[in-house]
Amino acid sequence: MNPITVSMSDYVRAHPGLKYVFFGGKGGVGKTSLAGSAALWLARQGRRTLLASTNPVHSLSGLLDRPVFGAPTAVADNFWAYEIDTRETIERSKKEIREKIQWFLKFADISVKADEFVESATMNPAFEESAMFENMVDLMLKDDYDVYVFDTAPTANARRLLGMSKVYSLWVDKMLKSREEARTLREMLSFSKKKEEDPLMSYLLRFRDRMAQARERLADPQKTAFFFVTLAEALPIAVISRFIGWFRDFGIPVGGVIVNMLLDRSALGDDVPEFVLNRVQMQEDYLATIWRKFDGEVRAVLPLFDRELRGIAMLDEAARRLMA
């Protein structure tokens, strides 16, 4: 009996408007390979598909056997891949922050160089994630492709990345309120009462609009789905159990769970080392746990292939199993 009630292909058919597809999970479970397989399958259906990596430690170029760093690169018919240039994103964000701080200091009549403020703001460990998030939003709002498949960083990073749409919205609302109060006070104290252009306020309003658009798309279950990849092992299962709840708290639609790298007992033959049999038994025990914990949410179960999942031919083979 097949315990999968809704397969990956069933899910895609039931969501014809699906546009933003995310793959995440613990490190080493095969997120990149499965994201690449799903993207290739969607491209084979005739949909213009972009496979993009939001993981600062990119591996798409290795997966596809060709450089895809820094710009969307054609890989096959209807299929482009893109490793986001984090350094370029960070430098652009630094420049924008410098301009905003200079606007603020000028507005407040404070005679201080902006560089120290810029360095303080961009030394924050979360700065790279926020820069990556803004790049992801840029891709989504440009709307150049029919489908975007995102290969995310390990789950904790991905959760923060996607959660930023909500955090940013709260932050920008507070910033707008503070800015409006400051502008009103400045006008009251001004001798001329002249209303001045406020570039920072204009930026905040544009930023709020972008975040609202991103948030609307990320929270739409007809457009967005996050798939969690796990192995039949204790730690990856524990990780996705915890993070599925967190994603739901952020309002990000969860598409389901994919079990990867299962050993096939029927393919082992008679002369099998005890070590291998122990691994097979361990996987079967944890697979029972997966069926119980994620009842109705398992979308696919993939074997451990006898070759490395790399290159278009192997991605086609994995896609055939993933979308069966």
Side-chain angles (χ1 to χ4, degrees):
M1 174 180 168
N2 185 354
I4 296 177
T5 54
V6 178
S7 67
M8 279 291 286
S9 55
D10 291 338
Y11 188 93
V12 172
R13 276 195 292 273
H15 298 77
L18 194 63
K19 193 174 182 75
Y20 310 108
V21 182
F22 295 84
F23 282 79
K26 187 177 178 299
V29 298
K31 297 183 297 293
T32 302
S33 303
L34 296 187
S37 302
L40 182 58
W41 185 87
L42 288 162
R44 300 285 196 221
Q45 311 308 305
R47 304 179 71 180
R48 287 171 52 83
T49 303
L50 177 68
L51 171 64
S53 168
T54 63
N55 189 343
V57 185
H58 298 299
S59 50
L60 292 187
S61 293
L63 176 75
L64 299 166
D65 275 336
R66 67 191 71 186
V68 297
F69 180 76
T73 304
V75 177
D77 289 345
N78 294 317
F79 185 23
W80 289 260
Y82 177 28
E83 290 177 342
I84 296 172
D85 184 347
T86 310
R87 287 175 302 177
E88 190 272 337
T89 302
I90 288 175
E91 288 306 313
R92 189 176 69 242
S93 294
K94 279 186 176 180
K95 179 175 180 294
E96 291 173 353
I97 286 178
R98 182 176 287 105
E99 291 173 354
K100 293 176 193 95
I101 290 175
Q102 285 171 338
W103 292 337
F104 175 81
L105 295 176
K106 180 182 175 183
F107 186 82
D109 290 331
I110 300 174
S111 178
V112 179
K113 291 183 179 178
D115 289 350
E116 294 179 5
F117 290 89
V118 174
E119 288 304 314
S120 297
T122 56
M123 288 297 288
N124 188 315
F127 184 77
E128 183 171 331
E129 288 176 3
S130 71
M132 188 66 79
F133 176 74
E134 291 211 44
N135 206 318
M136 186 185 83
V137 171
D138 284 343
L139 283 175
M140 292 172 62
L141 299 187
K142 280 182 181 175
D143 212 17
D144 289 335
Y145 300 89
D146 297 329
V147 189
Y148 296 80
V149 179
F150 290 102
D151 170 33
T152 71
T155 306
N157 179 287
R159 176 242 183 183
R160 289 197 298 271
L161 188 69
L162 296 180
M164 280 179 185
S165 62
K166 190 171 185 177
V167 174
Y168 267 158
S169 297
L170 296 173
W171 172 81
V172 78
D173 284 344
K174 288 185 179 179
M175 287 290 293
L176 278 168
K177 184 180 178 184
S178 299
R179 191 66 178 175
E180 185 59 42
E181 289 173 352
R183 186 168 71 173
T184 302
L185 183 60
R186 179 185 170 92
E187 288 173 1
M188 289 174 60
L189 296 176
S190 168
F191 177 76
S192 66
K193 308 297 181 187
K194 179 182 177 183
K195 292 185 180 295
E196 298 180 4
E197 183 184 356
D198 185 352
L200 185 54
M201 179 65 91
S202 300
Y203 164 79
L204 288 171
L205 289 169
R206 288 196 304 274
F207 187 81
R208 183 174 66 176
D209 180 61
R210 289 179 70 242
M211 286 304 108
Q213 290 184 57
R215 180 74 192 156
E216 182 181 355
R217 297 181 191 202
L218 286 171
D220 185 341
Q222 294 303 316
K223 291 182 178 176
T224 297
F226 199 106
F227 293 97
F228 289 89
V229 182
T230 186
L231 305 182
E233 296 179 8
L235 292 182
I237 295 170
V239 165
I240 69 168
S241 300
R242 189 163 58 250
F243 285 107
I244 282 177
W246 287 2
F247 272 69
R248 287 186 170 135
D249 289 344
F250 275 117
I252 307 296
V254 174
V257 172
I258 299 165
V259 186
N260 199 18
M261 302 186 200
L262 271 189
L263 291 165
D264 182 0
R265 184 186 284 268
S266 65
L268 296 178
D270 298 327
D271 188 18
V272 183
E274 186 177 353
F275 164 79
V276 177
L277 289 175
N278 287 340
R279 297 291 299 185
V280 171
Q281 186 60 53
M282 180 198 75
Q283 286 191 338
E284 291 176 351
D285 291 343
Y286 281 120
L287 193 56
T289 301
I290 290 169
W291 295 129
R292 187 174 63 253
K293 289 179 75 74
F294 308 110
D295 183 27
E297 294 188 300
V298 177
R299 304 285 174 245
V301 177
L302 276 80
L304 176 65
F305 291 93
D306 60 0
R307 287 168 292 161
E308 188 178 12
L309 259 181
R310 188 177 181 192
I312 294 297
M314 280 305 296
L315 289 183
D316 265 327
E317 171 63 18
R320 187 178 66 78
R321 303 291 190 103
L322 177 65
M323 307 304 292

